[in-house]
Amino acid sequence: MSTLQETTVRRYSTDCVSQRLDIDDLCSGLARHNYLFIDGLTTTNILTGLHQNALADWREFAASWGDMPLDGHMADGGSYRRRRHATLAANADSPEWHIKAHQPHYQGRDFNSLNGGIARHYEPILKDILHGATMSSIVGLGCRMFSRLAPYYPWHIELHQFRIESNAEFVGKPTPEGVHRDGVNFVIMAMVDHSNMTNAESTIYDLDQNPLKSFTLNAPLDLAIVNDEQVFHGVSPIKPSDTAAPAVRDVLVATFRKQF
């Protein structure tokens, strides 16, 4: 699997982000386009610019995806997704956050027609990972960005560790519910690792579900950030490059919902 390392800075059109940026740049881009793609090197520079030890536990953080239980709430009967979950809260206009008591994840069927409508209970994210530098820096980036875009609201935050698996007999679906919104205000999707994988193309859609932009989260810390009220998103199924071995895709998803 890949490791966090410096790569060539890629150049994208104006609705994607690369090179040296600050929080204002990110907020401005998200406000204009309702979605951003940020390459992994740029993300690394942003996070370590905010705190030099922001990624100090990256190896342990990435390795924690190797010890996750199967998602037991797959209405399609699939056994291709593993998952852990945590719930946080942040005050208005603050980069600080705290952990809430462990609780189930819930989405209405309007947002998740496949698995929604029930309280889904998942094993918690491991404490060392949840309290670690990498997770803290990613959540803190979201708090800084979204508090500038909506400074008067506290936030309900949910973290989801996803591992999608595939082999010669079945494909893995990163978004089994299809093209969707999550029913929140903002979403951060962060690539952590993958191996032997093809496909997994992310596509952003407008509110009429017309495609706007497609890209692939590939390098560690490649980020997609979306305004969930204004765009839909989906990811194509993964398949193994070499059918003799399984394919794996590890992603962190952080959702931010205003608390009224």
Side-chain angles (χ1 to χ4, degrees):
M1 292 191 181
S2 56
T3 58
L4 187 66
Q5 57 186 345
E6 290 196 357
T7 57
T8 301
V9 176
R10 293 165 285 168
R11 299 182 183 273
Y12 298 93
S13 57
T14 55
D15 53 2
C16 297
V17 178
S18 188
Q19 305 177 36
R20 291 189 177 276
L21 298 166
D22 61 21
I23 300 299
D24 284 337
D25 293 323
L26 299 178
C27 291
S28 176
L30 187 58
R32 288 197 308 270
H33 302 289
N34 294 311
Y35 63 92
L36 294 173
F37 171 72
I38 311 171
D39 69 82
L41 177 57
T42 299
T43 304
T44 299
N45 289 337
I46 291 168
L47 296 180
T48 54
L50 292 169
H51 194 289
Q52 63 179 355
N53 294 321
L55 303 172
D57 68 336
W58 174 262
R59 290 183 182 276
E60 294 80 6
F61 175 80
S64 70
W65 266 256
D67 181 27
M68 293 203 298
L70 283 171
D71 186 333
H73 295 284
M74 298 299 295
D76 64 358
S79 58
Y80 52 82
R81 182 159 78 178
R82 298 180 180 275
R83 185 170 187 170
R84 288 185 183 270
H85 172 249
T87 306
L88 316 175
N91 294 328
D93 195 22
S94 172
E96 303 299 324
W97 52 271
H98 62 271
I99 300 168
K100 289 185 175 182
H102 192 59
Q103 57 191 266
H105 173 57
Y106 181 85
Q107 288 174 296
R109 288 196 175 273
D110 288 347
F111 292 102
N112 192 329
S113 59
L114 177 66
N115 296 319
I118 62 169
R120 288 180 279 165
H121 293 263
Y122 298 107
E123 291 296 313
I125 294 174
L126 300 175
K127 288 185 178 180
D128 287 350
I129 301 305
L130 190 57
H131 290 278
T134 301
M135 188 73 82
S136 296
S137 67
I138 294 171
V139 175
L141 175 64
C143 290
R144 286 178 169 87
M145 284 185 63
F146 308 140
S147 290
R148 293 199 187 186
L149 291 165
Y152 304 109
Y153 296 94
W155 298 96
H156 173 83
I157 305 165
E158 295 194 44
L159 303 178
H160 306 267
Q161 288 182 298
F162 289 112
R163 167 166 283 192
I164 305 299
E165 300 172 324
S166 178
N167 59 33
E169 297 180 358
F170 64 88
V171 298
K173 302 174 186 177
T175 54
E177 64 273 48
V179 177
H180 68 286
R181 292 187 294 156
D182 288 337
V184 296
N185 298 103
F186 299 103
V187 183
I188 298 174
M189 293 161 274
M191 170 55 64
V192 176
D193 215 343
H194 63 81
S195 65
N196 194 36
M197 182 189 76
T198 61
N199 294 351
E201 183 179 62
S202 297
T203 302
I204 307 297
Y205 304 82
D206 66 20
L207 292 179
D208 294 320
Q209 298 194 32
N210 299 307
L212 297 173
K213 186 71 177 181
S214 294
F215 49 83
T216 300
L217 299 179
N218 185 52
L221 281 177
D222 279 359
L223 297 188
I225 305 177
V226 301
N227 180 337
D228 193 60
E229 295 181 292
Q230 297 299 322
V231 294
F232 286 76
H233 64 277
V235 185
S236 64
I238 72 167
K239 296 180 181 179
S241 300
D242 176 1
T243 57
V248 173
R249 181 179 190 260
D250 294 342
V251 171
L252 174 72
V253 174
T255 66
F256 288 70
R257 177 166 53 84
K258 296 173 184 175
Q259 290 284 272
F260 295 96

